[in-house]
Amino acid sequence: MWPLEKSKRAIIVGGSLAMAYTQLTTSPATVQFTRELGGSSLHIGILGALPVGLIFMQLIAALAVRRLLYRKPLWLAVAICQRLVFLPAALGPWLMPSVPNAFWLWLLITLTFANHALLHFGNPLWLSWMGDYLPHRGLSSFWGVRHSSQQWTAAVTLLVNSLFFLHATTDIRAGFAGIIVLGAVLGLIDVLLFLRIEEPPVRHHPSPRVWDVLASPFREPRFRSFIEFTCFWHMAAMVGSPFISMYLLEVVGLDLFRVLLLWTISWVGGALLSRQLGNWVERFGQRPVLILCVTFKSVNMVAMLLCPHDPTTAFWVLAPVFAADAFLNAGITIANNGFLIKNSPRENRTMFVAAGTAYAGLVGGVTSIVAGVLLALTDGWSLEFLGATWNHFHGLFAVSVLLRLAAVGLAIRVREPSSTGARQVALTFASATRNHVRRWLRAA
């Protein structure tokens, strides 16, 4: 097995490869591919719901660990299957165009279901393994470095992806098949890196009863406050976020190349400060970073509401908004991962990790499907108000703004006695931003 430092480098490289796989298999190209197969907003809503709606698989994984001494063999098998699952849906429509589109559309949805079911089954196995293996001192700083590497990888991957679809005449079926095959290869390399990383044996919960294992995260007040926040936050986010790419393609009139380029810019925004975010989480705690990031997370929904319908103007207006939003997402992700690991006991870590995300995922999944149904039922609805035309997309975005603002109150209620105030994080961020701007101006 590799020593700790070499394993940490492998974990960072593996995270980047996994991010490349994720971006290639779930980019806006998938939305365009779905539309090419005749998919509607309902189908987009279902696809948007699956990543979070299947998080309950994490609870099943946590229960399965009760009978395991090691998580690694099961995680490897599940991860390899997950990396290959999209290939039939991607290659089929290109190689067999005579088969009805409806078949490929529902196969894509079915395999997306399988992909996220396998992903969420493996996630608590992997994260609890990392929580047992990695030293907790400096952990958030390490996550910051890893997350920065992942975001740079996502930016490069989406940039290559966007250049691939630069020309409107690009065959979406052939193009989608190509990016899925590339994603599968990179994803497999990621999984194989973990063959040489050590896993400490599982330490089981002292009570053998299933109910005690399931209920233990809710009996801890600190962890219960975190679960309440994540559940509400997923509901607030999933009202609007699954439909951003669809709105930009259908209503604003952006082509696929520019939509992919927007997401590329967003990942660059997150990558620039992810390492610093990890240091701030390590220094100030998870709670204040969560409060700060959630407070400003409604900005991207406001931008959707005010977005001009001229594609060129819309692109330049949205580019800085997407970059700032990715920075906020990075802060939430790093803080969430740190909270899950540092506040979960070794004896039942897999269940605590699963509970910290699974229940929120169920709420978010149901929200996305309901929002997709409402979007389909209100297709064609519009309202003239304040000299502008508002449609059914705007209605969802407006509701999401209100819910995201309300989520700030629940973030404040998250219990973490050792953390500092969010005001200190905001002042530190303002100072760091001012210093960055001065350096850029001097360089210019």
Side-chain angles (χ1 to χ4, degrees), residues 5 12 27 38 66 85 100 112 124 170-171 176 189 193 300 317 323 333 337 349 367 385 406 410 427 432:
E5 289 305 314
I12 291 173
S27 77
R66 294 171 61 242
V85 74
T112 302
T170 301
D171 183 353
F176 188 72
I189 297 173
L193 284 175
N300 70 330
V317 168
T333 299
N337 283 343
R349 176 163 288 137
T367 301
F385 183 64
L410 287 174
L427 291 174

Side-chain angles (χ1 to χ4, degrees), residues 406-431:
V408 178
L410 287 174
I412 292 173
R413 291 176 56 191
V414 172
R415 300 187 183 186
E416 191 184 17
S418 60
S419 65
T420 61
R423 181 175 178 272
Q424 183 61 43
V425 181
L427 291 174
T428 303
F429 171 65
S431 175

Side-chain angles (χ1 to χ4, degrees), residues 263 266 296-297 299-300 320-330 404:
W263 289 113
S266 80
F296 292 99
K297 268 294 290 178
V299 171
N300 70 330
V321 174
F322 272 53
D325 187 65
F327 158 73
L328 299 173
N329 286 337
R404 289 171 187 230

Side-chain angles (χ1 to χ4, degrees), residues 43 287 302 385 410:
H43 300 101
R287 177 180 174 272
V302 173
F385 183 64
L410 287 174

Side-chain angles (χ1 to χ4, degrees), residues 53-68 71 74-75 78 113-114 116-126 128 204 210 213-214 217 348-359 362:
L54 285 165
I55 292 185
F56 73 89
M57 292 295 296
Q58 297 195 13
L59 297 174
I60 297 175
L63 292 175
V65 169
R66 294 171 61 242
R67 299 182 178 275
L68 299 176
R71 294 150 290 199
L74 178 59
W75 178 81
V78 168
F113 180 99
H116 292 295
L118 293 169
L119 173 66
H120 290 310
F121 186 89
N123 186 64
L125 303 178
W126 182 84
S128 61
H204 294 289
V210 172
V213 175
L214 286 168
N348 199 22
R349 176 163 288 137
T350 307
M351 179 54 71
F352 271 72
V353 168
T357 52
Y359 298 106
L362 289 173

Side-chain angles (χ1 to χ4, degrees), residues 26-32 35 40-41 44-45 47-49 158 233 236-256 258-264 266 296-309 314-315 317-319 321-326 329 368 371-372 375 391-394 396-398 400-401 404:
T26 60
S27 77
T30 302
V31 175
Q32 187 76 333
R35 294 173 68 212
S40 66
S41 59
I44 302 298
L47 289 172
L158 276 182
W233 172 246
M238 295 305 290
V239 169
S241 59
F243 309 101
I244 291 176
S245 293
M246 186 178 184
Y247 173 73
L248 296 177
L249 290 165
E250 289 191 0
V251 179
V252 178
L254 289 172
D255 55 30
L256 180 58
R258 280 187 282 190
V259 172
L260 286 166
L261 199 56
L262 274 177
W263 289 113
T264 300
S266 80
F296 292 99
K297 268 294 290 178
S298 58
V299 171
N300 70 330
M301 289 290 101
V302 173
M304 292 297 109
L305 288 171
L306 303 179
C307 180
H309 285 191
F315 176 84
V317 168
L318 292 176
V321 174
F322 272 53
D325 187 65
N329 286 337
S368 181
L375 205 60
N391 59 28
H392 53 326
F393 282 99
H394 294 124
L396 288 183
F397 296 152
S400 187
V401 168
R404 289 171 187 230

